[in-house]
Amino acid sequence: MIDPNEKIKLVELTKYNPEWANIFTVAANEIKSILKDNCIQIHHMGSTAIPNIYAKPIVDVLPVVKDISSVDSLNHEFEKLGYVCMGEYGIPGRRFYWKSKTKRTLNIHLFEQGAPEIKRHLLFKDFMLEHDDYAQAYSLIKRSLSEVFPQDTE
C-alpha cells in the first residue's frame, strides 16, 4: 500500500543540478553493496541524467541484475537504507523503490537483464544527450505542462 504522505502531490521542476550525479554515485554504491554479484550494471536515467534541462529533483537509477527472483528477499536491506519497497508498481518485471520518509529524492527501477524497459530508458537518455535541441524542447514542454497541470504527475 502506498503511504499517502509519500505520493508526489505537486509537480516540481528545477534547473539541472550537478549534484544529481553525486546522488546517483552514492545510490549506485549502496545498491551494488546490496545486490552484490547479481548486479550487472547500474545506470543514471531520466531527466536528472540530462544536463541543462529542467527535471523533477528525483534521481532515477536503473540497476540491471542477472536474476530478479532473488531481489525481493533483499528488501529489508533496501529498507535499512531508507528505501520504500513497492514491488513491480505497475510495470511487470520491475522492482521499484523510492527513497524518502518525508520528500522523495530517488527512485530505483530495477530490471533483469534483457527486459525491454532497460533499452527504452537508455535509448531515450542517449538520444537526449546527443540532441540538445530535442532535450531543450522536451524541457520546455515539461515546464509548460507543469504550469498547466501542477498536480498531475502523469
Side-chain angles (χ1 to χ4, degrees), residues 91-150:
I91 299 178
R94 172 177 76 166
R95 296 300 179 272
F96 182 68
Y97 307 83
W98 63 47
K99 189 168 195 174
S100 172
K101 288 296 178 194
T102 56
K103 183 176 180 180
R104 196 177 322 176
T105 57
L106 192 132
N107 292 327
I108 299 173
H109 309 260
L110 191 149
F111 290 96
E112 185 172 278
Q113 64 186 340
E117 293 292 326
I118 298 167
K119 185 175 181 179
R120 182 179 71 81
H121 286 297
L122 297 180
L123 285 174
F124 174 81
K125 179 183 88 170
D126 291 345
F127 181 86
M128 291 298 179
L129 289 172
E130 292 173 18
H131 300 92
D132 188 59
D133 53 337
Y134 283 91
Q136 293 307 314
Y138 175 64
S139 183
L140 180 62
I141 290 168
K142 286 174 57 167
R143 290 177 67 199
S144 298
L145 287 171
S146 74
E147 290 174 15
V148 176
F149 305 103

Side-chain angles (χ1 to χ4, degrees), residues 28-42 63-68 70-71 74 113:
N29 288 331
E30 289 178 344
I31 294 164
K32 179 70 174 162
S33 74
I34 294 170
L35 297 174
K36 299 187 179 8
D37 292 339
N38 192 22
C39 185
I40 299 170
Q41 297 173 308
I42 302 178
V64 180
V65 295
K66 297 173 194 171
D67 178 17
I68 202 162
S70 64
V71 172
L74 301 171
Q113 64 186 340

Side-chain angles (χ1 to χ4, degrees), residues 53-64:
I53 71 168
Y54 279 73
K56 289 183 283 188
I58 302 170
V59 174
D60 288 295
V61 181
L62 193 160
V64 180

Side-chain angles (χ1 to χ4, degrees), residues 41-56:
Q41 297 173 308
I42 302 178
H43 303 278
H44 186 182
M45 67 172 210
S47 295
T48 62
I50 304 166
N52 303 317
I53 71 168
Y54 279 73
K56 289 183 283 188

